[in-house]
Amino acid sequence: VVSTQSTGNKYPYSEKKPKWSVQPVWDTWGQITAPLASRMAYMVTPGNHEMDEYESTLENGTIYTKRFIMPGNERYYSFGVGMVHFVSVSTDEDIDPSSTQGVWLDRTLAKINEQRNLWPWIVVFQHRPIYNSNKNHGNWTGANNYTYGDWVLPTYKGWPDDYEALLLKHKVDFVLTGHVHHYERTWPVKNRNDVTKSYKNVTSPIHITCGHGGKDLYAIMWDTEDESTYGPHPPEFTAARDNEHWGHCELEFLDERTVRHTMFRMGESEVPAEDVLITKAAIVSGAEHFGFSLGLIAGNFIFSFVYMIFWS
């Protein structure tokens, strides 16, 4: 299970104005997830409500690092499972070529590609999406599209251009995100407007936002009574989206070139609302061709990236 973690914080601007995050809410979340997290790897990545000083109620990542033990520095790290190599990225930090995270990501993806015969699939998971059509957040550019009075929110360098350049350079297959409280799946896309409307012989990353796991859905624009968060026409990169139903997503890696993506709406049916078969182009590296059977372990991975519990 890969997940963007949610916090039990109250905003400093709320009526009760607490000084710190609310630990009992974190406890409740842990109790809810324990039956699943105690039986399989439960890998998390931080978001704005963990890392940003204001939006984490001055916690600055402390609760996240105390309650979860992840590899590396626990914010950005990588690990391999079967034929898939996962890479966690922290969207609330710089990722430009001069940054620590940017250098780390470039080197990490390069090392994975040196053994692409072992890990034909590369999946990056992070909190904020760089491809998103919901107007309540927009595409992550390193700067928030909302303000909190006189409080100055930080700006992070390298988003999205430097980051996307690394995705393309190292042939990343999927980018899994949350943050935006809706579901969205892109076509294979690069450089914003270079879109291929097919899931056969894919050569560009596919971005999936599974942010509809439980918190209030972003169906209506903030500070309006009835204005939809969706424009009349979705952008070219959007293949599917849903801002009216809660749910979760799964990826089932069938072999080194085929993956099944499903999205289930909460409480409706055991039949997935979205069921998409994706095949990617064979990877050719020098004299090696990775289109043959590798005898690798297939795997099913569940992901749901969202604030899955309420703010107190």
Side-chain angles (χ1 to χ4, degrees), residues 172-312:
V172 169
D173 299 295
F174 288 95
V175 180
L176 312 180
T177 67
H179 188 57
V180 186
H181 301 184
H182 80 150
Y183 164 77
E184 185 162 13
R185 167 173 46 84
T186 73
W187 293 109
V189 59
K190 59 183 178 181
N191 302 323
R192 192 63 46 192
N193 298 313
D194 190 346
V195 179
T196 302
K197 293 188 175 183
S198 171
Y199 289 122
K200 296 181 179 180
N201 294 317
V202 170
T203 58
S204 299
I206 296 168
H207 299 250
I208 302 174
T209 297
C210 192
H212 58 330
K215 190 64 174 71
D216 295 342
L217 296 168
Y218 286 170
I220 303 299
M221 287 283 292
W222 295 323
D223 301 323
T224 72
E225 292 185 0
D226 57 6
E227 183 180 346
S228 174
T229 52
Y230 291 163
H233 304 289
E236 287 296 309
F237 61 74
T238 299
R241 60 182 182 176
D242 184 347
N243 63 2
E244 297 181 348
H245 302 89
W246 288 289
H248 79 274
C249 305
E250 298 184 13
L251 288 175
E252 182 179 3
F253 293 89
L254 303 175
D255 58 42
E256 67 272 14
R257 291 184 56 193
T258 311
V259 61
R260 180 190 180 202
H261 164 68
T262 50
M263 186 274 282
F264 295 84
R265 289 176 178 168
M266 192 178 298
E268 287 194 4
S269 171
E270 293 184 1
V271 177
E274 298 277 341
D275 194 338
V276 181
L277 196 66
I278 301 166
T279 62
K280 69 173 183 174
I283 298 176
V284 179
S285 178
E288 293 183 283
H289 186 284
F290 301 140
F292 52 85
S293 176
L294 300 173
L296 300 175
I297 300 173
N300 182 276
F301 301 93
I302 302 170
F303 62 101
S304 187
F305 289 6
V306 74
Y307 312 108
M308 300 178 75
I309 50 178
F310 55 87
W311 309 123
S312 298

Side-chain angles (χ1 to χ4, degrees), residues 14-143:
S14 68
E15 293 180 2
K16 297 181 181 180
K17 296 182 178 178
K19 186 175 182 181
W20 307 111
S21 297
V22 183
Q23 295 301 318
V25 179
W26 274 97
D27 294 339
T28 300
W29 173 247
Q31 293 163 2
I32 292 172
T33 59
L36 183 65
S38 62
R39 292 187 293 111
M40 60 181 66
Y42 188 84
M43 311 302 291
V44 299
T45 189
N48 52 308
H49 290 286
E50 286 75 49
M51 301 303 296
D52 284 354
E53 180 180 14
Y54 188 87
E55 294 191 303
S56 70
T57 322
L58 308 180
E59 291 293 348
N60 300 329
T62 301
I63 296 177
Y64 171 85
T65 56
K66 295 297 183 181
R67 287 184 177 260
F68 301 100
I69 301 174
M70 296 292 113
N73 68 10
E74 302 186 294
R75 304 186 312 279
Y76 44 91
Y77 59 88
S78 75
F79 61 96
V81 180
M83 69 176 80
V84 187
H85 208 104
F86 290 92
V87 181
S88 167
V89 169
S90 176
T91 50
D92 286 83
E93 299 182 49
D94 294 338
I95 203 164
D96 62 294
S98 65
S99 68
T100 302
Q101 182 174 214
V103 172
W104 173 87
L105 182 60
D106 191 16
R107 291 176 177 174
T108 296
L109 291 174
K111 288 182 179 179
I112 297 171
N113 271 287
E114 290 175 359
Q115 302 183 77
R116 202 65 186 256
N117 59 321
L118 297 179
W119 297 301
W121 296 96
I122 300 179
V123 177
V124 173
F125 63 107
Q126 63 195 56
H127 188 64
R128 304 180 192 248
I130 64 170
Y131 284 93
N132 166 51
S133 66
N134 190 297
K135 292 186 288 184
N136 267 359
H137 276 305
N139 303 296
W140 180 232
T141 63

